[in-house]
Amino acid sequence: MRAISGLWRWRHNPLRRATDLAEAWIALAALLLILAVTPLIGALVGGLAQDALQESVSEQRASRHMVTATVVRKVEGTSLEVDPEAATGREMRTRVVADWTAPDGTAHQGRVMASLDSPRPGDRFPMWTDQRGHTVARPLDSATAATHAVLAGFGAALLTAGLVEGGRRLVVWRMVRRRYARWDQAWDRAGPDWGRTDAGS
Protein backbone atom coordinates (compact mmCIF):
# COMPACT_ATOMS: atom_id res chain seq x y z
CA MET A 1 0.00 0.00 0.00
CA ARG A 2 2.91 2.35 0.69
CA ALA A 3 4.14 1.86 -2.87
CA ILE A 4 0.66 2.52 -4.24
CA SER A 5 0.28 5.76 -2.27
CA GLY A 6 3.76 6.69 -3.42
CA LEU A 7 2.63 6.31 -7.02
CA TRP A 8 0.66 9.55 -6.73
CA ARG A 9 3.40 11.41 -4.83
CA TRP A 10 6.19 10.39 -7.18
CA ARG A 11 4.51 11.39 -10.41
CA HIS A 12 6.44 14.65 -10.76
CA ASN A 13 9.16 14.21 -8.16
CA PRO A 14 12.58 15.02 -9.71
CA LEU A 15 14.24 12.40 -7.46
CA ARG A 16 11.93 9.67 -8.71
CA ARG A 17 13.70 6.73 -10.31
CA ALA A 18 12.06 4.73 -13.06
CA THR A 19 12.24 1.64 -10.85
CA ASP A 20 10.36 3.42 -8.05
CA LEU A 21 7.49 4.13 -10.40
CA ALA A 22 7.62 0.60 -11.81
CA GLU A 23 7.45 -0.90 -8.30
CA ALA A 24 4.41 1.22 -7.49
CA TRP A 25 2.65 0.18 -10.71
CA ILE A 26 3.45 -3.49 -10.02
CA ALA A 27 2.00 -3.17 -6.51
CA LEU A 28 -1.14 -1.54 -7.89
CA ALA A 29 -1.53 -4.24 -10.55
CA ALA A 30 -1.07 -6.98 -7.93
CA LEU A 31 -3.69 -5.38 -5.67
CA LEU A 32 -6.17 -5.10 -8.53
CA LEU A 33 -5.53 -8.73 -9.52
CA ILE A 34 -6.08 -9.88 -5.94
CA LEU A 35 -9.30 -7.88 -5.63
CA ALA A 36 -10.70 -8.89 -9.03
CA VAL A 37 -9.33 -12.33 -9.92
CA THR A 38 -9.13 -13.98 -6.51
CA PRO A 39 -12.90 -13.94 -5.83
CA LEU A 40 -13.62 -15.20 -9.35
CA ILE A 41 -11.25 -18.14 -9.02
CA GLY A 42 -12.60 -18.93 -5.54
CA ALA A 43 -16.18 -18.90 -6.86
CA LEU A 44 -15.24 -21.01 -9.89
CA VAL A 45 -13.39 -23.65 -7.87
CA GLY A 46 -16.10 -23.67 -5.19
CA GLY A 47 -18.81 -24.13 -7.85
CA LEU A 48 -16.94 -26.99 -9.53
CA ALA A 49 -16.32 -28.65 -6.16
CA GLN A 50 -19.99 -28.22 -5.24
CA ASP A 51 -21.13 -29.89 -8.47
CA ALA A 52 -18.72 -32.80 -8.04
CA LEU A 53 -19.55 -33.30 -4.36
CA GLN A 54 -23.31 -33.12 -4.86
CA GLU A 55 -22.98 -35.72 -7.63
CA SER A 56 -21.03 -37.88 -5.19
CA VAL A 57 -23.80 -37.40 -2.60
CA SER A 58 -26.38 -38.64 -5.11
CA GLU A 59 -24.25 -41.66 -6.05
CA GLN A 60 -23.64 -42.59 -2.42
CA ARG A 61 -27.31 -42.28 -1.54
CA ALA A 62 -28.17 -44.61 -4.42
CA SER A 63 -25.49 -47.21 -3.61
CA ARG A 64 -25.51 -47.26 0.21
CA HIS A 65 -28.36 -48.61 2.31
CA MET A 66 -29.21 -48.46 5.99
CA VAL A 67 -29.96 -51.88 7.47
CA THR A 68 -30.76 -53.00 11.01
CA ALA A 69 -28.16 -55.23 12.65
CA THR A 70 -28.59 -57.39 15.75
CA VAL A 71 -25.85 -57.71 18.37
CA VAL A 72 -24.57 -61.27 18.84
CA ARG A 73 -21.95 -60.31 21.44
CA LYS A 74 -19.63 -57.50 22.39
CA VAL A 75 -16.04 -57.94 21.27
CA GLU A 76 -13.99 -58.52 24.42
CA GLY A 77 -11.35 -55.99 25.35
CA THR A 78 -12.94 -53.12 23.43
CA SER A 79 -14.11 -49.85 24.90
CA LEU A 80 -16.14 -46.97 23.58
CA GLU A 81 -14.55 -45.26 20.56
CA VAL A 82 -15.34 -41.92 18.98
CA ASP A 83 -17.04 -42.23 15.60
CA PRO A 84 -14.87 -40.19 13.17
CA GLU A 85 -17.79 -39.90 10.75
CA ALA A 86 -20.26 -38.49 13.26
CA ALA A 87 -21.48 -34.97 12.55
CA THR A 88 -20.49 -33.70 16.00
CA GLY A 89 -17.37 -35.84 16.37
CA ARG A 90 -18.60 -36.90 19.82
CA GLU A 91 -20.76 -39.90 18.99
CA MET A 92 -19.39 -42.98 20.74
CA ARG A 93 -19.42 -46.46 19.24
CA THR A 94 -18.62 -49.97 20.48
CA ARG A 95 -17.15 -52.85 18.49
CA VAL A 96 -19.48 -55.88 18.42
CA VAL A 97 -20.17 -59.06 16.49
CA ALA A 98 -23.52 -58.62 14.76
CA ASP A 99 -25.88 -60.25 12.27
CA TRP A 100 -27.58 -58.32 9.47
CA THR A 101 -29.41 -58.92 6.23
CA ALA A 102 -28.13 -57.17 3.11
CA PRO A 103 -30.47 -55.32 0.75
CA ASP A 104 -30.08 -58.23 -1.71
CA GLY A 105 -31.43 -60.62 0.98
CA THR A 106 -28.19 -62.39 1.95
CA ALA A 107 -27.36 -62.93 5.65
CA HIS A 108 -24.08 -61.60 7.07
CA GLN A 109 -22.21 -61.71 10.36
CA GLY A 110 -19.08 -59.83 11.35
CA ARG A 111 -17.37 -57.34 13.58
CA VAL A 112 -18.81 -53.86 13.23
CA MET A 113 -19.06 -50.61 15.17
CA ALA A 114 -22.41 -50.23 16.95
CA SER A 115 -23.90 -46.95 18.10
CA LEU A 116 -24.65 -48.45 21.53
CA ASP A 117 -23.04 -47.53 24.85
CA SER A 118 -23.44 -50.94 26.47
CA PRO A 119 -24.54 -53.46 23.83
CA ARG A 120 -26.20 -56.71 24.90
CA PRO A 121 -27.05 -59.72 22.75
CA GLY A 122 -30.26 -59.05 20.86
CA ASP A 123 -29.88 -55.24 20.82
CA ARG A 124 -30.58 -53.73 17.42
CA PHE A 125 -28.82 -50.78 15.79
CA PRO A 126 -28.67 -49.19 12.32
CA MET A 127 -25.65 -49.51 10.06
CA TRP A 128 -24.75 -48.74 6.43
CA THR A 129 -23.96 -51.38 3.81
CA ASP A 130 -23.66 -51.62 0.07
CA GLN A 131 -26.11 -53.66 -2.03
CA ARG A 132 -24.26 -56.92 -1.22
CA GLY A 133 -24.13 -56.30 2.53
CA HIS A 134 -20.53 -55.14 2.96
CA THR A 135 -20.20 -52.41 5.59
CA VAL A 136 -19.55 -48.92 4.24
CA ALA A 137 -19.32 -45.43 5.66
CA ARG A 138 -22.50 -43.41 5.90
CA PRO A 139 -23.22 -41.44 2.73
CA LEU A 140 -22.03 -37.87 2.53
CA ASP A 141 -24.84 -35.42 3.25
CA SER A 142 -25.56 -32.28 1.24
CA ALA A 143 -24.63 -29.86 4.03
CA THR A 144 -21.20 -31.44 4.51
CA ALA A 145 -20.63 -31.44 0.75
CA ALA A 146 -21.51 -27.73 0.61
CA THR A 147 -19.12 -26.99 3.47
CA HIS A 148 -16.29 -28.82 1.67
CA ALA A 149 -17.07 -26.88 -1.52
CA VAL A 150 -16.92 -23.54 0.33
CA LEU A 151 -13.60 -24.52 1.91
CA ALA A 152 -12.24 -25.53 -1.51
CA GLY A 153 -13.26 -22.17 -2.99
CA PHE A 154 -11.78 -20.27 -0.05
CA GLY A 155 -8.54 -22.23 -0.31
CA ALA A 156 -8.30 -21.58 -4.05
CA ALA A 157 -8.84 -17.86 -3.46
CA LEU A 158 -6.11 -17.76 -0.81
CA LEU A 159 -3.73 -19.71 -3.04
CA THR A 160 -4.37 -17.30 -5.92
CA ALA A 161 -3.75 -14.28 -3.71
CA GLY A 162 -0.54 -15.90 -2.45
CA LEU A 163 0.65 -16.60 -5.99
CA VAL A 164 -0.03 -13.02 -7.10
CA GLU A 165 1.77 -11.59 -4.08
CA GLY A 166 4.64 -14.04 -4.54
CA GLY A 167 4.93 -13.01 -8.20
CA ARG A 168 4.97 -9.34 -7.20
CA ARG A 169 7.71 -9.92 -4.64
CA LEU A 170 9.77 -11.90 -7.14
CA VAL A 171 9.55 -9.14 -9.77
CA VAL A 172 10.46 -6.44 -7.22
CA TRP A 173 13.34 -8.57 -5.92
CA ARG A 174 14.73 -8.90 -9.45
CA MET A 175 14.36 -5.15 -10.02
CA VAL A 176 16.24 -4.39 -6.80
CA ARG A 177 19.04 -6.79 -7.76
CA ARG A 178 19.34 -5.08 -11.15
CA ARG A 179 19.44 -1.70 -9.43
CA TYR A 180 22.26 -2.86 -7.15
CA ALA A 181 24.13 -4.29 -10.13
CA ARG A 182 23.88 -0.92 -11.90
CA TRP A 183 25.14 0.82 -8.78
CA ASP A 184 28.12 -1.57 -8.64
CA GLN A 185 28.89 -0.81 -12.29
CA ALA A 186 28.68 2.92 -11.61
CA TRP A 187 31.07 2.57 -8.67
CA ASP A 188 33.47 0.56 -10.84
CA ARG A 189 33.39 3.26 -13.53
CA ALA A 190 34.09 5.94 -10.93
CA GLY A 191 37.38 4.18 -10.32
CA PRO A 192 39.55 3.71 -7.25
CA ASP A 193 40.36 7.42 -7.02
CA TRP A 194 36.77 8.54 -6.42
CA GLY A 195 36.51 10.69 -3.32
CA ARG A 196 40.17 11.68 -3.11
CA THR A 197 40.86 15.39 -2.83
CA ASP A 198 43.26 15.38 -5.76
CA ALA A 199 41.11 13.15 -8.02
CA GLY A 200 40.72 14.56 -11.48
CA SER A 201 43.49 17.14 -11.10
Side-chain angles (χ1 to χ4, degrees):
M1 292 304 293
R2 188 171 52 209
I4 293 170
S5 65
L7 186 63
W8 182 258
R9 287 196 321 265
W10 292 336
R11 287 179 312 144
H12 302 297
N13 190 326
L15 298 177
R16 181 199 74 206
R17 298 170 295 195
T19 55
D20 294 333
L21 193 59
E23 285 180 33
W25 279 113
I26 289 168
L28 179 62
L31 177 65
L32 292 176
L33 277 174
I34 288 172
L35 293 177
V37 175
T38 296
L40 290 175
I41 289 181
L44 178 66
V45 170
L48 292 173
Q50 173 75 349
D51 293 343
L53 287 170
Q54 292 301 335
E55 184 178 336
S56 179
V57 166
S58 298
E59 290 174 1
Q60 288 183 13
R61 284 183 179 165
S63 64
R64 299 179 185 189
H65 309 278
M66 184 179 282
V67 299
T68 301
T70 304
V71 175
V72 174
R73 69 178 187 280
K74 181 179 176 181
V75 175
E76 294 303 322
T78 61
S79 57
L80 290 174
E81 298 178 25
V82 176
D83 181 5
E85 296 177 9
T88 62
R90 297 182 187 156
E91 188 176 321
M92 304 301 283
R93 297 172 76 86
T94 309
R95 192 170 298 278
V96 298
V97 175
D99 290 325
W100 66 93
T101 303
D104 64 3
T106 57
H108 294 267
Q109 186 179 88
R111 292 186 177 196
V112 294
M113 298 295 285
S115 54
L116 302 168
D117 291 338
S118 53
R120 293 183 299 274
D123 287 348
R124 297 165 70 82
F125 62 93
M127 60 180 278
W128 291 94
T129 69
D130 61 13
Q131 184 64 28
R132 294 179 298 173
H134 300 116
T135 57
V136 294
R138 74 184 60 184
L140 184 67
D141 61 85
S142 295
T144 304
T147 302
H148 289 318
V150 168
L151 290 175
F154 187 68
L158 285 178
L159 180 61
T160 302
L163 288 174
V164 170
E165 176 59 15
R168 183 196 71 80
R169 287 175 182 258
L170 179 63
V171 170
V172 169
W173 176 77
R174 290 180 61 89
M175 290 173 65
V176 169
R177 284 185 56 99
R178 269 193 237 127
R179 182 188 306 154
Y180 289 160
R182 283 197 299 269
W183 285 352
D184 288 342
Q185 291 169 359
W187 279 105
D188 289 343
R189 281 194 302 272
D193 294 332
W194 185 88
R196 290 187 183 174
T197 54
D198 60 345
S201 57

